[in-house]
Amino acid sequence: MNELTMTLASRNGTPLYEQIYLYIKENIVSGKFVYHEKLPSTRSLAKHLEVSRSTVDLAYEQLLSEGYIESEPYRGYYVAQIEGLYQIREVKKRQIPEVREKEETCRYDFTPNGVDLKSFPHNAWRKLSKEILLDDEVELFRLGDPQGELSFRKVICDYLYQARGVKCDPHQIIVGAGNDYLLMMLCSVIGRNHVIAVENPAYKQAYRLFSSQSYPVEPIEMDRYGMRVDMLRESVADIAYVTPSHQYPTGIVMPMKRRIELLGWANESEKRYIIEDDYDSEFRYKGKPIPALQGSDANGKVIYLGTFSKSIAPAIRMSYMVLPEELATVYHEKCGFISSTVSKVDQLIVQHFIEEGYYERHLNKTRALYKGRHDVLLKGLQPLSKVCKISGENAGVHLLLTFHSGITEKELIRRAAEEGIKVYGLSDYVIGEMQQGATVLLGYANLSEEEIRESVKILCRIWSA
């Protein structure tokens, strides 16, 4: 082989050496250049293609490093034996008809899961990230502690005790990428021989997760104090999943009397446990904060779940679980080998975010923002007081409107949608059949005060008609 004729394009964005490399590689892979066939020297090929010799040298070096050609001293370059070389071939894509979901456009979205991302402390987060990544310690990039970094778990311990009255040690805490992961981890810890009770209406994600893990799940009705313990006793459930600080979706704050009754149920059997999801506990607008249920547990019956996703940002994907001592021992025996799902870098950022006071300032700022929107929403809804009842307004970032005027939930949602407003029905959270009125949820975290004023005027007009 004395020369190679190829067309080189100097303006197509691909370097010349790469074009030469690809041409030779493709001919070798396709079998056009056979094993041990001699290639032109770099000097002669450069002269033939009218390019610099260094350009050809780069192409040959790449082919040599990948094993497509080989060099024989004083003789030149030859096509190598490529059988057994791993090759990535382009797979012909099947023509799959594109299915586009119908996009729902709305001017105002009263999602109960909203978060005000505009208030996220970008500068503080950027500063802490930079400081941590500038640290040259090799340890930062080693595989971390399966439970989460010890220093971070100590910070979580201190925060939970001060803010929520939770009593725990770092060895009881597991850090994970979201509550879903932690609940699946918990399934491995407690085993499958359990029946789980959930509130009804329910936080459907937990209900779906337990069902997907093949647990029998029993929905338990609620009264104005939360999960009914009398119905819980009548069931065969031995684990109760509850959200006592701000029940999702009804917004009920479980009073101390009901909490004591729930703990009493758990203490009646060694096998029973309570999973406390401390949802929305950071946001409360009326009355004194009630400590977490876990803080009143003297017998190791409460498994506590918390998250930074709601109070900082959903993309953080960082939650924590506090196990009772007995279950913490089981975790170390059965699951202690499973690596953490949260990067060490992210854990250290949140750790410093809390230690240096940014988290406290951010919480105070968002509480004030949400309180302002909460008050604007309540004031704007006053014209509807004759046709509906407002509930769940004392905590969290959403409230409920239950209508007693005969209008249906579907009709309420339809009328709002026609005006470009998206609201959510309570029926989406009900398991099975339940007697209930027409109830909609209005979340306000991701709407400005002005947006709330404008949209609520419309809702009052179309819902009071």
Side-chain angles (χ1 to χ4, degrees), residues 369-428:
L369 281 172
Y370 293 165
K371 176 64 165 63
R373 295 168 190 182
H374 164 274
D375 292 348
V376 168
L377 180 58
L378 282 179
K379 184 178 179 181
L381 291 172
Q382 285 179 358
L384 290 175
S385 59
K386 293 181 180 179
V387 294
C388 71
K389 175 189 174 185
I390 298 174
S391 59
E393 75 277 18
N394 294 333
V397 291
H398 77 274
L399 51 79
L400 294 87
L401 300 182
T402 301
F403 287 75
H404 45 74
S405 58
I407 191 172
T408 65
E409 184 182 289
K410 286 184 179 179
E411 180 64 15
L412 290 167
I413 295 171
R414 186 191 65 78
R415 290 185 187 180
E418 287 179 350
E419 299 289 341
I421 303 172
K422 190 170 184 180
V423 298
Y424 299 78
L426 183 63
S427 61
D428 291 339

Side-chain angles (χ1 to χ4, degrees), residues 132-251:
I132 289 167
L133 291 172
L134 283 174
D135 194 333
D136 292 331
E137 287 189 23
V138 176
E139 280 301 315
L140 181 64
F141 297 99
R142 294 190 191 280
L143 192 64
D145 191 308
Q147 283 184 253
E149 297 310 294
L150 178 59
S151 58
F152 183 39
R153 286 184 279 126
K154 286 179 178 178
V155 168
I156 292 174
C157 272
D158 293 339
Y159 164 72
L160 288 178
Y161 181 72
Q162 294 171 27
R164 302 295 301 129
V166 171
K167 301 167 187 174
C168 64
D169 292 319
H171 73 273
Q172 295 174 256
I173 293 178
I174 302 167
V175 177
N179 283 10
D180 293 352
Y181 166 78
L182 291 176
L183 286 175
M184 286 190 284
M185 174 73 75
L186 180 61
C187 293
S188 298
V189 173
I190 62 177
R192 305 293 168 175
N193 192 26
H194 290 281
V195 178
I196 298 176
V198 297
E199 301 158 323
N200 196 19
Y203 171 50
K204 279 287 187 72
Q205 187 70 356
Y207 170 73
R208 284 191 290 259
L209 190 143
F210 290 129
S211 298
S212 72
Q213 298 298 307
S214 301
Y215 286 100
V217 182
E218 290 205 17
I220 305 296
E221 291 184 20
M222 297 189 299
D223 56 22
R224 62 195 181 102
Y225 301 119
M227 180 182 279
R228 288 180 54 180
V229 178
D230 59 333
M231 293 189 70
L232 181 60
R233 281 198 171 93
E234 291 173 4
S235 73
V236 295
D238 53 10
I239 293 179
Y241 178 94
V242 294
T243 51
S245 295
H246 185 240
Q247 201 277 334
Y248 191 85
T250 65

Side-chain angles (χ1 to χ4, degrees), residues 14-31:
T14 305
L16 294 177
Y17 86 89
E18 189 173 341
Q19 294 181 51
I20 298 170
Y21 153 79
L22 289 171
Y23 176 84
I24 298 174
K25 174 186 170 182
E26 288 167 3
N27 278 277
I28 292 174
V29 171
S30 66

Side-chain angles (χ1 to χ4, degrees), residues 41 83 90 99 178 278 282-283 340 376 413:
S41 68
E83 287 183 12
E90 185 177 353
V99 178
D278 207 18
E282 299 89 355
F283 306 109
S340 175
V376 168
I413 295 171

Side-chain angles (χ1 to χ4, degrees), residues 105-148:
T105 56
C106 62
R107 288 185 293 164
Y108 309 105
D109 188 353
F110 280 91
T111 172
N113 300 314
V115 174
D116 181 12
L117 296 177
K118 292 179 182 177
S119 65
F120 182 79
H122 293 279
N123 290 335
W125 199 266
R126 194 178 296 112
K127 170 181 172 289
L128 293 173
S129 302
K130 185 177 179 181
E131 289 174 357
I132 289 167
L133 291 172
L134 283 174
D135 194 333
D136 292 331
E137 287 189 23
V138 176
E139 280 301 315
L140 181 64
F141 297 99
R142 294 190 191 280
L143 192 64
D145 191 308
Q147 283 184 253

